[in-house]
């Protein structure tokens, strides 16, 4: 049974941590980050590798062909994933080069992911940062939960403001999940809970 825990709420959206990866996330929109390359290896490992395998190797192939650059800000929306993917749709978020990357880059990525979920009017979404899958180490991944919560809060606050101005309808989004490896689940729950508390959740 997959470990899952609600760690707070923001703007009426329940925020969870779950011990699954992008291919197994049981949500409407599963999002995963991808870099232009991996550090110390030729292909990703872990959850990002599982997702690529579920897609028949399409992610690595599209990146190698230059069709999806995976540069920071690049996005790839797949609205007909194969049965091996649990979610109804996938969003891949480019993170650029892993060399010199810091966790601050996750804030705009998560903001983009949540904004896309709101625009698509899905009820649930999840995001896998794919940092360790891409060869990054603890020096680069420090502060990731806080950065991700910052991006989440920014997207939800913007949408709430648009609603107050009469420029957007009621949000369909009810649940947002941050993916974590099973061995890191407890630490992730604590870190995201603290980040949400600092954000005023």
């Amino acid at each position: 049974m997959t470990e899952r825990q609600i760690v707070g709420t923001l703007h009426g959206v329940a925020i969870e941590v779950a011990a699954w990866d992008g291919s197994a996330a049981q949500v409407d929109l599963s999002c995963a980050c991808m870099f232009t390359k991996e550090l110390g290896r030729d292909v990703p490992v872990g959850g990002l590798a599982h997702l690529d395998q579920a897609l028949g190797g399409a992610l690595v192939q599209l990146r190698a062909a230059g069709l999806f650059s995976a540069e920071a800000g690049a996005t790839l929306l797949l609205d007909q994933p194969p049965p091996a993917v649990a979610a109804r749709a996938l969003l891949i978020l480019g993170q650029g080069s892993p060399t010199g990357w810091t966790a601050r880059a996750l804030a705009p990525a998560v903001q983009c992911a949540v904004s896309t979920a709101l625009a698509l009017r899905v009820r649930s979404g999840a995001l896998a940062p794919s940092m360790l899958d891409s060869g990054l180490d603890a020096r680069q991944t420090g502060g990731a939960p806080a950065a991700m919560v910052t991006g989440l809060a920014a997207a939800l606050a913007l949408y709430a403001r648009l609603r107050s101005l009469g420029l957007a309808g009621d949000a369909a989004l009810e649940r947002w999940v941050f993916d974590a490896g099973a061995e890191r689940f407890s630490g992730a729950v604590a870190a995201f809970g603290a980040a949400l508390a600092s954000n005023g959740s």
Side-chain angles (χ1 to χ4, degrees), residues 32-45 48-49 51-52 59-64 66 68-74 92-107 109 127-137 140-141 144 148:
C33 295
M34 188 175 192
F35 293 82
T36 55
K37 62 181 180 180
E38 284 69 48
L39 289 176
R41 58 178 71 97
D42 295 328
V43 293
V45 298
L48 187 57
L51 181 58
D52 188 46
L59 294 182
V60 170
Q61 291 170 18
L62 289 169
R63 186 181 65 178
F68 175 61
S69 69
E71 292 288 354
I92 311 302
L93 301 146
Q95 283 288 283
S97 172
T99 304
W101 183 91
T102 69
R104 289 191 300 272
L106 287 171
L127 183 132
S130 311
M131 297 178 293
L132 301 180
D133 302 341
S134 303
L136 277 68
D137 60 29
Q140 293 175 279
T141 60
M148 288 191 273

Side-chain angles (χ1 to χ4, degrees), residues 7 13 45 52 68 73 78 89 123 149 161-162 166 180 182 193-194 199:
V7 292
V13 177
V45 298
D52 188 46
F68 175 61
L78 308 176
R123 295 178 62 185
V149 167
R161 179 59 174 160
L162 292 175
N199 203 274

Side-chain angles (χ1 to χ4, degrees), residues 3 6 13 16 27 29-30 32 39 52 69 77-78 92 101 105 112 114 117-118 126 128 141 156 167 173:
E3 289 185 285
I6 295 175
V13 177
E16 298 181 22
V27 293
L29 178 67
S30 179
L39 289 176
D52 188 46
S69 69
L77 179 64
L78 308 176
I92 311 302
W101 183 91
C112 176
V114 177
L118 290 163
T141 60
L156 295 177
L167 299 174
L173 191 64

